[in-house]
């Protein structure tokens, strides 16, 4: 097995030499304080322009969300004065968000960074998001207006270059890329991105979620103890907001190899919550969730067309 970080490092020369062929979209890390500790990378925001609205907006890059959306409270003052945007709302076309149906903004023109997208549908998540005051609307501050979910990249190839804080959306994996990546199976079902990894001696499904930035691995207590050891001391604890509830979660050192193809992932902690999350993992047929933290030194490829997930050797 190739230990990630112990052998060949991926060169960026392939990317830079062919940069004219890549429409890169820059992203920004968002920080937050959790349990009286500051974390600099709790979420990813992408600059977004909606139609021709001359305002500075961002959207959270959240592949754990099955549908992309505009937040109703945040868009309300702009919607009230823009007839074109009002006419984009299709009440007969429904978007599922948090187990409820909402109207849809149909056929929008968007820009993520400087890259244009046309005929895009976004859910209209009414009564959600921060409400804006009149002064805030007039100010130059950047407003978070919605989320970009996994549906945005359906039938596409998504490249996430974590070290350089950018993403790229293409129709196929660029020539020459595959030799630099370790590929595993990806299953895209009902908006969820499942990747097939080996944890210890077992093949397991992980939900890949860019909205999960704090934890390399999160699972239930039983599974966490199986790969860390029941008697392994707790190394970390946090009080977090998850699925609308405050929960205490605990982190322990992983004592089993986690493999993605021929690559062994770097040492990490596995986090768990006692009992309350069991139903989520069981009902979704997953061992747990992985997110941005595991890949901060890597480029990854999500090939939705061919159901493949690729992780590079570390970029330095």
């Amino acid at each position: 097995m190739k230990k990630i970080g112990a052998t060949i490092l991926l060169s960026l020369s392939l990317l830079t030499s062919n940069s004219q062929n890549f429409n890169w979209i820059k992203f920004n890390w968002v920080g937050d304080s959790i349990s009286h500790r500051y974390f600099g990378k709790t979420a990813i925001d992408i600059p977004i322009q909606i139609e021709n609205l001359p305002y500075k907006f961002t959207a959270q890059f959240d592949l754990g969300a099955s549908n992309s959306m505009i937040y109703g409270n945040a868009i309300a003052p702009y919607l009230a004065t823009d007839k074109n945007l009002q006419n984009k709302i299709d009440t007969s076309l429904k978007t599922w968000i948090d187990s409820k149906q909402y109207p849809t903004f149909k056929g929008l023109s968007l820009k993520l960074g400087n890259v244009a997208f046309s005929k895009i549908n976004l859910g209209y998540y009414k009564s959600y998001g921060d409400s804006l005051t009149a002064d805030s609307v007039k100010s130059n501050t950047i407003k978070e207006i919605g989320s970009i979910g996994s549906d945005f990249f359906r039938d596409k190839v998504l490249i996430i270059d974590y070290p350089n804080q950018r993403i790229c959306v293409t129709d196929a994996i660029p020539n020459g890329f595959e030799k630099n990546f370790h590929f595993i199976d990806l299953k895209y079902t009902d908006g969820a991105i499942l990747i097939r990894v080996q944890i210890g001696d077992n093949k397991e499904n992980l939900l890949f979620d860019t909205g999960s930035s704090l934890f390399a691995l999160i699972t239930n207590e039983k599974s966490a103890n199986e790969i860390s050891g029941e008697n392994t001391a707790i190394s970390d604890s946090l009080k977090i907001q998850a699925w609308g509830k405050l929960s205490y979660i605990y982190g322990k050192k992983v004592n089993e190899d986690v493999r993605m193809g021929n690559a062994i992932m770097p040492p990490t902690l596995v986090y768990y919550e006692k009992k309350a999350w069991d139903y989520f993992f069981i009902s979704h047929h997953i061992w747990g969730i992985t997110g941005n933290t595991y890949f901060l030194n890597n480029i990854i490829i999500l090939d939705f067309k061919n159901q493949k997930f690729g992780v590079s050797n570390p970029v330095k």
Side-chain angles (χ1 to χ4, degrees), residues 192-233:
I193 300 168
L194 305 182
I195 57 175
R196 192 76 170 161
V197 306
Q198 186 161 338
I199 302 176
D201 295 327
N202 301 314
K203 291 278 191 179
E204 306 285 3
N205 287 326
L206 291 179
L207 176 70
F208 177 73
D209 178 9
T210 57
S212 177
S213 288
L214 287 179
F215 315 110
L217 291 171
I218 189 164
T219 186
N220 59 32
E221 184 176 12
K222 177 177 178 292
S223 296
N225 283 332
E226 286 174 352
I227 67 168
S228 64
E230 195 159 347
N231 296 322
T232 300

Side-chain angles (χ1 to χ4, degrees), residues 53-197:
L53 294 178
Y55 305 102
K56 294 179 180 179
F57 296 134
T58 63
Q60 185 183 359
F61 179 50
D62 184 6
L63 295 183
S66 57
N67 288 307
S68 304
M69 67 194 76
I70 292 177
Y71 302 153
N73 289 342
I75 197 66
Y78 308 101
L79 186 62
T81 59
D82 194 292
K83 192 68 175 176
N84 173 60
L85 197 57
Q86 294 171 20
N87 291 335
K88 295 286 185 176
I89 298 174
D90 187 339
T91 56
S92 66
L93 181 61
K94 300 298 184 181
T95 299
W96 284 95
I97 304 172
D98 286 345
S99 302
K100 294 181 180 179
Q101 289 186 322
Y102 292 86
T104 302
F105 286 96
K106 184 179 178 180
L108 291 172
S109 295
L110 302 178
K111 277 188 178 180
L112 299 184
N114 293 318
V115 181
F117 298 87
S118 61
K119 299 180 180 178
I120 300 297
N121 295 343
L122 299 179
Y124 179 20
Y125 197 1
K126 289 185 173 182
S127 303
Y128 185 83
D130 294 332
S131 297
L132 303 178
T133 65
D135 287 342
S136 179
V137 170
K138 294 174 184 176
S139 76
N140 251 344
T141 57
I142 300 172
K143 320 297 192 303
E144 186 168 271
I145 205 74
S147 298
I148 300 299
S150 62
D151 64 316
F152 199 92
F153 309 100
R154 187 186 294 119
D155 299 324
K156 296 289 185 180
V157 173
L158 171 65
I159 303 171
I160 307 176
D161 180 353
Y162 283 102
N164 291 298
Q165 293 184 213
R166 57 187 185 174
I167 69 170
C168 181
V169 186
T170 71
D171 290 319
I173 297 175
N175 292 333
F177 252 50
E178 295 206 22
K179 64 182 180 182
N180 295 308
F181 288 80
H182 306 274
F183 282 94
I184 56 176
D185 291 338
L186 178 154
K187 185 178 181 182
Y188 184 55
T189 177
D190 297 327
I193 300 168
L194 305 182
I195 57 175
R196 192 76 170 161
V197 306

Side-chain angles (χ1 to χ4, degrees), residues 26-30 43-47 58 142 165:
K26 295 291 289 184
F27 67 74
N28 300 305
W29 287 106
V30 178
I44 293 175
D45 274 359
I46 295 177
T58 63
I142 300 172
Q165 293 184 213

